[in-house]
Amino acid sequence: MNLSIDIGNTRLKLGLFENNELLDMAVIATTSESGEIIAYIKQHRGIRNIIVSSSGKRLKNLSSLSEKIFVMELNHNTPLSFKNLYRTPATLGTDRIALAAAANSRFHGKNVLVIDTGTCITFNFVNASNQYIGGSISPGIKARFKALNSFTHNLPLVKFENKEPVSLTGNDTKSSILSGVINGAVAEVRGLAGSYLNKYDQLKILLTGGDYRLFEKELSGLSHSKKNQIFADPNLVLYGLNAILNFNVK
């Protein structure tokens, strides 16, 4: 079995795989200690290979996670099943590399756009020639709320639970912030995704990240053809890490 470890900005996710099948997934709040990971490994003694991706803090004592298990840390020098054409590969986040790997694994030889709606909203494009081209980065939902609060004197920090509809026209400060942040982010993602759909033939779109449900319904209306399909998967980074690990342990 393989273990994928995704260390994000706010949480650490573990994905246990048998070949390409996700058997189990766990979330750990802290990213500063490896004790909980070691405990997880001991509970699943069939683990033979581990891959680690760090977008946040790095694990301490990575090499001592477990004996007799192959451990690799993803970086810009890791061999990949696709060609990375990013002009500054050393600055490319490992989470984005993993998303590109997931796209290439699921739709090899197709144009694939991966939209990650986490701490940042990132677009990542892999073309039909299996080349990672790049994409875009903008603030995620929580970052936009925090920015309004941090860079102004009077605007409050608004929390959005994604349980209530957001009006187009806010009639107080809170509803105006909700309208600007949520409707603005949705319009941004719809607009960029639409531009990719107009530019690339038979485009597949993969949607992931903590806020993916907010955008899933909005993006579904963009696809008017079976050739252009949209798929949502909150564990896409874990799948991509597993694909990279399988490619390197063959």
Side-chain angles (χ1 to χ4, degrees):
M1 291 188 292
N2 291 343
L3 180 65
S4 295
I5 303 177
D6 173 28
I7 308 173
N9 291 295
T10 58
R11 59 182 180 174
L12 186 153
K13 295 176 70 175
L14 304 175
L16 184 67
F17 288 85
E18 185 69 61
N19 296 320
N20 295 317
E21 180 183 358
L22 181 61
L23 302 179
D24 185 59
M25 197 272 287
V27 178
I28 299 174
T30 179
T31 61
S32 59
E33 300 294 339
S34 59
E36 291 183 73
I37 297 175
I38 294 174
Y40 186 90
I41 293 171
K42 289 181 178 179
Q43 291 174 0
H44 302 85
R45 296 187 178 277
I47 295 173
R48 294 290 177 265
N49 308 292
I50 297 175
I51 184 170
V52 180
S53 165
S54 177
S55 299
K57 298 179 182 178
R58 298 184 66 183
L59 286 176
K60 296 179 180 179
N61 302 319
L62 177 64
S63 59
S64 63
L65 281 176
S66 181
E67 296 181 358
K68 299 180 181 179
I69 295 179
F70 173 70
V71 180
M72 66 176 293
E73 187 169 10
L74 178 61
N75 59 51
H76 67 281
N77 291 317
T78 302
L80 303 168
S81 62
F82 57 92
K83 188 170 184 179
N84 186 359
L85 297 184
Y86 206 63
R87 189 171 62 85
T88 55
T91 69
L92 182 62
T94 54
D95 55 336
R96 298 181 71 191
I97 296 174
L99 291 174
N104 185 247
S105 175
R106 292 196 181 188
F107 299 109
H108 191 78
K110 303 290 185 182
N111 290 320
V112 190
L113 175 67
V114 184
I115 305 173
D116 185 3
T117 60
T119 302
C120 296
I121 296 175
T122 67
F123 279 61
N124 300 278
F125 179 67
V126 179
N127 66 19
S129 298
N130 303 310
Q131 299 170 322
Y132 176 77
I133 306 300
S136 61
I137 306 172
S138 67
I141 296 295
K142 290 181 180 179
R144 297 178 192 222
F145 283 126
K146 288 182 179 179
L148 288 175
N149 175 246
S150 298
F151 294 106
T152 65
H153 292 290
N154 298 318
L155 293 181
L157 178 61
V158 174
K159 293 185 179 180
F160 177 62
E161 301 296 336
N162 199 15
K163 295 179 180 179
E164 54 186 294
V166 176
S167 63
L168 177 62
T169 305
N171 58 8
D172 58 22
T173 299
K174 179 180 177 181
S175 60
S176 294
I177 291 174
L178 283 170
S179 177
V181 170
I182 302 303
N183 292 328
V186 168
E188 173 190 317
V189 170
R190 278 182 59 91
L192 282 174
S195 295
Y196 275 93
L197 284 166
N198 290 332
K199 185 172 183 179
Y200 296 100
D201 185 42
Q202 300 186 25
L203 179 70
K204 310 296 183 185
I205 296 180
L206 293 172
L207 180 64
T208 192
D211 291 318
Y212 82 96
R213 292 189 184 279
L214 173 65
F215 299 92
E216 186 176 11
K217 182 179 178 181
E218 297 294 334
L219 287 176
S220 63
L222 291 176
S223 180
H224 302 293
S225 168
K226 290 183 179 180
K227 295 180 180 180
N228 300 323
Q229 295 175 297
I230 299 173
F231 306 87
D233 188 337
N235 298 314
L236 205 59
V237 169
L238 295 178
Y239 278 98
L241 291 175
N242 184 62
I244 294 171
L245 185 54
N246 283 334
F247 183 76
N248 280 271
V249 298
K250 287 181 179 179

